[in-house]
C-alpha cells in the first residue's frame, strides 16, 4: 500500500435513489445545482491566494519556510524536554489534530528515547487550574514555548505569554528569550513588536491565512516538525487534493464540490442542519474537533455578502466510534431527521491487536476468539452504517487508506475546500467571524479596558435588564 494513496468519499447513503426517496438527496437536485456549483468553483479559483484565500497556496509556496521550520524543530528537539503551544482556536485545534493523528497515541508517556522529541502540550484554555497543573509537570528551564497569535491581542494567548515570560525571567534569567518562539503577523500587531524588541525567534502567519485555515503554515507545522512528523509529506498530500479540485468544476467528479453541494442542499432544502463527524479511529478523534471550528465559524452567518439578512450554517457535532455508539447512536437512529453522519474510516491501521480464544462456555464471547480489534472496529462501523441506512438516516464515509502525513494533509485540505465552496453556494463570507468579535468586545469591557469602544460596550451591557429573582433558584 502506497504511503500517498488518495482518500475516498462515498456518498451512496446520502442519495435518494439508494437511501430512499423520502430521506435522501435527489440526484436531480444536485444536477440542478450543478451550474451554481461550477460558479462556486470558479469564484474560489479566481480568488485563490487573495483576500483570505492564501491557505490555498500553502501546499506549494513554503519551500524556504520549511527549511527554517525543520532547522528550528531540530534545535528544539536537541535542547528541550517539553514544547508548549500557547494558542487558541485554529492555533491550537490544528496542532492537536495533527499530533493525535500522526504521533503515538500515548506520545507524552513514552520514554524520551522512544518519543524522539519533547513532550507536547497545547494550552488552549485559560482555566487557572490548567495553567497551574502545566507548571507542575514541566521544568521551565527545559521547556520551549510557541506563542501563536496573529494580532498579538488575543487575550487568552497574551495572558499566557505574560505569565510564562515573567516566570522565565525569574527562573532562567539571561537568555530566557531562547525559550520562546513567536508565530505571528509579519508586520502588524503586538507580538511582532515583542519579537523585535526582545529578539525572539519567530515565524510568519501569512496575512491572507485565517486561524482556522492555518494548520498547513507555521502555525501547525512547527509543532508537528518538533514531534518528528513529516511536514513535507503533509503538504504533498494537501497538494494532491488541490490537484483533484483545482481544475474541476464538475460537481459529480470533484469530491469537495460534491460534498459542498450535498451539505448546501441539506441545509437549504431539507432542514438538515446538524453534521456529526464520527471517526472510527482514536487517531482521528481531534480531527473532529478541528472540523467543528472550521465548519461552524466559517458558515454560521447572519448576512450574505450583499448584506441580506440570513441565518445559515450547519451545526457540527463531534463523536467517536465505537465509543459514542453507546451514548449518541440511539438519537441518530430514532431521533429527528435533522442530521448527516460523516464516518471517517481507516482501511489499514498501524497496529493489529489479536483477540485470543477463551470463554468457550459463553458463545456470545467465544465467537470473538481468533479475530482482531481491527476486524471488530470495522464490523461495528459497518453495523452503525447499516442501522442508519435501515432508519433512513443520511450518512457518508470518507476512507483513509492509512493514517499518515499524506492522507492527513489531503483530509485537512479537502475539508477546507468544502468549506470554501459551501460559503460560495450560501453567498456568505466564510472567512470572517463577527459573532466571535462581539464576544471579545464584551469580555474586554468586563475587564475594564480603557479604550473608548470598550467603554461604550460596558455602558451597553449595563443597560441590560436586571436579573429576575424568580429565575434565580
Amino acid at each position: 500500500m502506497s504511503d500517498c494513496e488518495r482518500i475516498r468519499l462515498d456518498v451512496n447513503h446520502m442519495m435518494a435513489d439508494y437511501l430512499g426517496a423520502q430521506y435522501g438527496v435527489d440526484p436531480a437536485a444536485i444536477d440542478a445545482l450543478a451550474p451554481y456549483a461550477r460558479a462556486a468553483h470558479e469564484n474560489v479559483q479566481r480568488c485563490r491566494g487573495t483576500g483570505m484565500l492564501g491557505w490555498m497556496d500553502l501546499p506549494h509556496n513554503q519551500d524556504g519556510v520549511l527549511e527554517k521550520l525543520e532547522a528550528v524543530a531540530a534545535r528544539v528537539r536537541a535542547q528541550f524536554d517539553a514544547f508548549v503551544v500557547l494558542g487558541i482556536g485554529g492555533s491550537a485545534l490544528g496542532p492537536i489534530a495533527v499530533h493525535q493523528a500522526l504521533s503515538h497515541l500515548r506520545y507524552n508517556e513514552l520514554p524520551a528515547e522512544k518519543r524522539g522529541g519533547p513532550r507536547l502540550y497545547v494550552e488552549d484554555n485559560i482555566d487557572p487550574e490548567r495553567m497551574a497543573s502545566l507548571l507542575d509537570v514541566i521544568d521551565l528551564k527545559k521547556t520551549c514555548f510557541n506563542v501563536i497569535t496573529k494580532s498579538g491581542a488575543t487575550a487568552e494567548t497574551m495572558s499566557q505569554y505574560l505569565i510564562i515570560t515573567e516566570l522565565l525571567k525569574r527562573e532562567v534569567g539571561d537568555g530566557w528569550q531562547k525559550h520562546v518562539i513567536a508565530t505571528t503577523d509579519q508586520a502588524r500587531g503586538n507580538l511582532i513588536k515583542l519579537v523585535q524588541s526582545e529578539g525572539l525567534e519567530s515565524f510568519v502567519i501569512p496575512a491572507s491565512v485565517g486561524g482556522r485555515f492555518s494548520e498547513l503554515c507555521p502555525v501547525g507545522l512547527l509543532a508537528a516538525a518538533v514531534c518528528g512528523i513529516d511536514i513535507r509529506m503533509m503538504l504533498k498530500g494537501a497538494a494532491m487534493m488541490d490537484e483533484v479540485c483545482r481544475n474541476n468544476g464538475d460537481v459529480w467528479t470533484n469530491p469537495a464540490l460534491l460534498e459542498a453541494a450535498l451539505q448546501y442542499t441539506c441545509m437549504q432544502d431539507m432542514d438538515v442542519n446538524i453534521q456529526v463527524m464520527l471517526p472510527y479511529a482514536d487517531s482521528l478523534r481531534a480531527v473532529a474537533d478541528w472540523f467543528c471550528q472550521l465548519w461552524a465559524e466559517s458558515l454560521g452567518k447572519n448576512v450574505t455578502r450583499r448584506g441580506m439578512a440570513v441565518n445559515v450554517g450547519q451545526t457540527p457535532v463531534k463523536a467517536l466510534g465505537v465509543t459514542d455508539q453507546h451514548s449518541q447512536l440511539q438519537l441518530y437512529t430514532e431521533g429527528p431527521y435533522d442530521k448527516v453522519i460523516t464516518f471517517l474510516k481507516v482501511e489499514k491501521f498501524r497496529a493489529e491487536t489479536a483477540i485470543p480464544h477463551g470463554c468457550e462456555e459463553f458463545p456470545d464471547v467465544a465467537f470473538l476468539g481468533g479475530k482482531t480489534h481491527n476486524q471488530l472496529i470495522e464490523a461495528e462501523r459497518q453495523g452503525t452504517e447499516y442501522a442508519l441506512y435501515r432508519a433512513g438516516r443520511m450518512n457518508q464515509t470518507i476512507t483513509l487508506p492509512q493514517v499518515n502525513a499524506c492522507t492527513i494533509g489531503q483530509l485537512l485540505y479537502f475539508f477546507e475546500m468544502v468549506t470554501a465552496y459551501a460559503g460560495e453556494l450560501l453567498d456568505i463570507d466564510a472567512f470572517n467571524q463577527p459573532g466571535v468579535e462581539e464576544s471579545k468586545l464584551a469580555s474586554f469591557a468586563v475587564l475594564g479596558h480603557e479604550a473608548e469602544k470598550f467603554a461604550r460596550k460596558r455602558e451597553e451591557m449595563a443597560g441590560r435588564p436586571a436579573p429576575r429573582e424568580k429565575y434565580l433558584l
Side-chain angles (χ1 to χ4, degrees):
M1 185 176 285
S2 166
D3 284 343
C4 228
E5 279 196 282
R6 274 269 313 277
I7 65 173
R8 305 187 301 275
L9 173 66
D10 179 354
V11 298
N12 273 281
H13 288 205
M14 294 289 295
M15 308 310 298
D17 54 352
Y18 187 96
L19 186 62
Q22 70 272 44
Y23 300 122
V25 176
D26 187 343
I30 301 302
D31 287 334
L33 192 59
Y36 302 96
R38 183 174 293 277
H41 171 268
E42 291 172 355
N43 288 343
V44 169
Q45 287 302 325
R46 185 175 62 254
C47 296
R48 182 189 189 98
T50 67
M52 294 307 295
L53 275 79
W55 56 269
M56 295 182 70
D57 289 333
L58 293 176
H60 311 287
N61 66 359
Q62 297 189 92
D63 286 347
V65 178
L66 291 174
E67 291 178 8
K68 181 180 176 183
L69 282 165
E70 289 165 339
V72 171
R75 174 178 70 81
V76 171
R77 284 199 299 275
Q79 296 180 0
F80 297 103
D81 293 339
F83 186 74
V84 178
V85 173
L86 304 179
I88 200 165
S91 301
L93 292 170
I96 292 169
V98 166
H99 178 67
Q100 181 155 4
L102 299 177
S103 298
H104 191 286
L105 288 178
R106 305 189 193 277
Y107 175 89
N108 278 2
E109 297 170 44
L110 290 172
E113 61 272 16
K114 288 188 176 181
R115 234 180 16 246
R119 289 172 293 146
L120 176 68
Y121 300 94
V122 182
E123 297 304 298
D124 64 343
N125 206 353
I126 49 170
D127 181 330
E129 294 182 24
R130 179 166 179 164
M131 178 58 74
S133 69
L134 173 70
L135 296 172
D136 283 340
V137 299
I138 63 171
D139 179 348
L140 281 168
K141 295 179 180 179
K142 297 179 180 179
T143 301
C144 182
F145 297 87
N146 182 201
V147 186
I148 308 175
T149 164
K150 195 172 187 179
S151 67
T154 307
E156 300 88 351
T157 303
M158 292 310 294
S159 70
Q160 294 172 327
Y161 171 86
L162 291 170
I163 292 166
I164 292 301
T165 54
E166 177 69 18
L167 289 171
L168 286 172
K169 290 172 186 176
R170 183 191 313 159
E171 296 200 18
V172 175
D174 292 343
W176 67 267
Q177 296 92 335
K178 294 178 182 178
H179 292 252
V180 179
I181 301 170
T183 306
T184 189
D185 189 85
Q186 186 170 21
R188 297 187 298 176
N190 301 323
L191 190 52
I192 190 61
K193 294 174 184 175
L194 289 167
V195 166
Q196 294 161 353
S197 64
E198 300 286 3
L200 304 177
E201 181 77 73
S202 67
F203 287 93
V204 171
I205 305 173
S208 56
V209 176
R212 57 189 178 274
F213 291 85
S214 66
E215 174 54 26
L216 296 176
C217 79
V219 167
L221 296 180
L222 178 58
V226 164
C227 295
I229 291 167
D230 188 343
I231 58 177
R232 290 179 185 268
M233 188 60 77
M234 278 180 61
L235 292 173
K236 180 179 179 179
M240 285 177 60
M241 184 54 64
D242 184 34
E243 183 65 24
V244 169
C245 301
R246 187 169 190 162
N247 297 313
N248 186 0
D250 178 8
V251 72
W252 287 112
T253 59
N254 179 331
L257 192 58
L258 175 59
E259 173 65 6
L262 286 169
Q263 299 309 324
Y264 171 83
T265 302
C266 286
M267 286 183 267
Q268 297 299 91
D269 299 338
M270 303 174 71
D271 292 326
V272 175
N273 289 314
I274 298 171
Q275 183 174 176
V276 179
M277 188 61 57
L278 183 54
Y280 269 71
D282 275 61
S283 60
L284 300 176
R285 184 176 198 159
V287 170
D289 291 281
W290 172 85
F291 172 79
C292 283
Q293 184 203 11
L294 179 72
W295 201 241
E297 201 166 71
S298 297
L299 302 187
K301 301 294 160 60
N302 66 1
V303 293
T304 68
R305 284 178 296 197
R306 292 171 290 176
M308 296 176 62
V310 293
N311 292 101
V312 297
Q314 190 182 53
T315 301
V317 174
K318 59 184 179 181
L320 178 67
V322 299
T323 300
D324 288 315
Q325 287 175 209
H326 297 270
S327 64
Q328 299 178 27
L329 185 58
Q330 176 63 35
L331 173 67
Y332 300 159
T333 55
E334 295 190 3
Y337 286 82
D338 59 355
K339 302 171 191 68
V340 171
I341 313 299
T342 299
F343 292 102
L344 299 182
K345 170 187 171 181
V346 176
E347 208 161 59
K348 184 179 179 182
F349 285 83
R350 293 167 294 198
E352 181 172 284
T353 306
I355 304 171
H357 290 281
C359 296
E360 302 300 332
E361 67 272 32
F362 307 120
D364 54 353
V365 176
F367 88 102
L368 294 169
K371 299 181 175 64
T372 66
H373 270 169
N374 308 59
Q375 292 172 293
L376 181 57
I377 195 169
E378 173 57 14
E380 298 227 28
R381 191 202 64 79
Q382 289 184 28
T384 300
E385 179 185 66
Y386 185 70
L388 292 166
Y389 165 76
R390 281 290 305 273
R393 309 304 170 120
M394 286 190 291
N395 65 88
Q396 57 185 354
T397 299
I398 300 170
T399 299
L400 285 72
Q402 303 177 73
V403 176
N404 58 36
C406 179
T407 56
I408 290 299
Q410 289 180 60
L411 186 65
L412 299 185
Y413 199 85
F414 168 78
F415 282 132
E416 289 173 348
M417 288 302 301
V418 173
T419 302
Y421 290 146
E424 287 295 320
L425 290 170
L426 291 165
D427 190 30
I428 51 123
D429 184 344
F431 306 102
N432 67 359
Q433 51 277 336
V436 179
E437 298 306 318
E438 172 65 20
S439 169
K440 290 180 181 178
L441 279 172
S443 299
F444 280 36
V446 169
L447 286 172
H449 196 297
E450 294 181 356
E452 184 180 350
K453 64 180 177 180
F454 300 116
R456 290 198 303 270
K457 183 59 64 175
R458 266 196 305 280
E459 292 177 9
E460 177 189 318
M461 294 172 70
R464 286 180 295 178
R468 298 179 181 182
E469 288 296 328
K470 66 179 181 180
Y471 300 139
L472 300 173
L473 306 183

